[in-house]
Amino acid sequence: MNTQLYFLRSSEHFIVKELLYYAARLDERAETLDDHPSLEQYHRNYGNYNGDIGVYAIVDHKVAGGAWVRMLLNGFGHVDNVTPELLLAVLPEYRNQGLGTQLMEQLFTEAEKVYSQLSLSVQEESPSIKLYERLGFTKVEGSEHTGATGLPSFTMLKKFDKKTAVKERAEKSLEEERFKKSFGF
């Protein structure tokens, strides 16, 4: 599988809308985004708001998945006014192959530069819960709600370890400095 990751730009808002269909798992229910107008906030004007961060994957010349965060006041995974909500989408033919992990890890690298934590809303029966837990998300107690698609859901939260992030950025800066010196920059 030849995978390449790219940052989602505002001009690629159509990719976000397409991926939202899979993030909400509407493909499994033969529904459309038009059936769930409350989902529009997750894609409308993506990239035009401060704090929108996202990545997507191209596998063999096809968009295979993406992950993005947005600051939403009425999101289904809303926890407070400084925590963005995360969405993850992987097309069915690319699920269970590590693509979701790749996307999330790259998104974390970018998001932790700006945010101290991320939240998300997940359906109670979603197989993605195990992935989220493995990546450090924990269930927010008492957060059970009816999700955007009308199914029982709950909120999960991931807190970034700022000490680790600062150390990793310092190490990366040191690597970049060594690289520049080795080539006389």
Side-chain angles (χ1 to χ4, degrees), residues 74-115:
N74 297 315
F76 289 90
H78 179 80
V79 293
D80 60 37
N81 292 342
V82 295
T83 303
E85 193 168 340
L86 178 138
L87 287 98
L88 170 68
V90 177
L91 275 65
E93 61 267 33
Y94 299 104
R95 292 179 183 157
N96 300 311
Q97 298 177 40
L99 185 59
T101 300
Q102 266 187 289
L103 288 162
M104 296 283 275
E105 287 175 347
Q106 183 62 52
L107 183 67
F108 293 164
T109 299
E110 301 308 318
E112 73 182 353
K113 295 173 185 174
V114 181
Y115 301 111

Side-chain angles (χ1 to χ4, degrees), residues 5-185:
L5 299 180
Y6 298 93
F7 290 105
L8 274 166
R9 299 175 299 211
S10 60
S11 62
E12 296 168 323
H13 57 88
F14 61 93
I15 293 175
V16 175
K17 185 175 182 179
E18 180 183 319
L19 289 172
L20 180 59
Y21 174 78
Y22 296 99
R25 300 252 182 185
L26 297 177
D27 57 306
E28 297 172 358
R29 299 173 53 187
E31 295 178 327
T32 68
L33 289 173
D34 291 336
D35 296 326
H36 301 282
S38 61
L39 289 172
E40 185 178 359
Q41 65 184 325
Y42 291 98
H43 73 82
R44 182 179 7 116
N45 298 320
Y46 174 84
N48 292 333
Y49 297 106
N50 194 14
D52 287 351
I53 302 171
V55 295
Y56 68 101
I58 300 286
V59 176
D60 301 325
H61 310 289
K62 179 182 177 185
V63 174
W68 65 99
V69 296
R70 298 198 86 179
M71 292 298 296
L72 300 171
L73 298 178
N74 297 315
F76 289 90
H78 179 80
V79 293
D80 60 37
N81 292 342
V82 295
T83 303
E85 193 168 340
L86 178 138
L87 287 98
L88 170 68
V90 177
L91 275 65
E93 61 267 33
Y94 299 104
R95 292 179 183 157
N96 300 311
Q97 298 177 40
L99 185 59
T101 300
Q102 266 187 289
L103 288 162
M104 296 283 275
E105 287 175 347
Q106 183 62 52
L107 183 67
F108 293 164
T109 299
E110 301 308 318
E112 73 182 353
K113 295 173 185 174
V114 181
Y115 301 111
S116 62
Q117 61 186 13
L118 305 175
S119 68
L120 59 84
S121 175
V122 62
Q123 296 170 2
E124 286 182 358
E125 302 296 321
S126 175
S128 300
I129 294 170
K130 289 180 180 154
L131 168 67
Y132 298 141
E133 289 174 337
R134 188 168 41 80
L135 293 172
F137 282 87
T138 56
K139 181 178 179 180
V140 175
E141 293 304 318
S143 66
E144 294 80 10
H145 58 273
T146 301
T149 58
L151 296 175
S153 302
F154 59 88
T155 301
M156 296 184 84
L157 189 66
K158 176 180 177 59
K159 295 182 182 221
F160 292 120
D161 181 356
K162 287 295 184 182
K163 292 177 186 173
T164 302
V166 168
K167 182 180 176 187
E168 288 174 359
R169 280 198 295 275
E171 288 172 2
K172 186 169 179 67
S173 294
L174 184 58
E175 288 174 21
E176 290 171 357
E177 187 63 31
R178 286 181 188 144
F179 175 80
K180 288 177 182 178
K181 285 183 180 178
S182 69
F183 287 96
F185 292 118

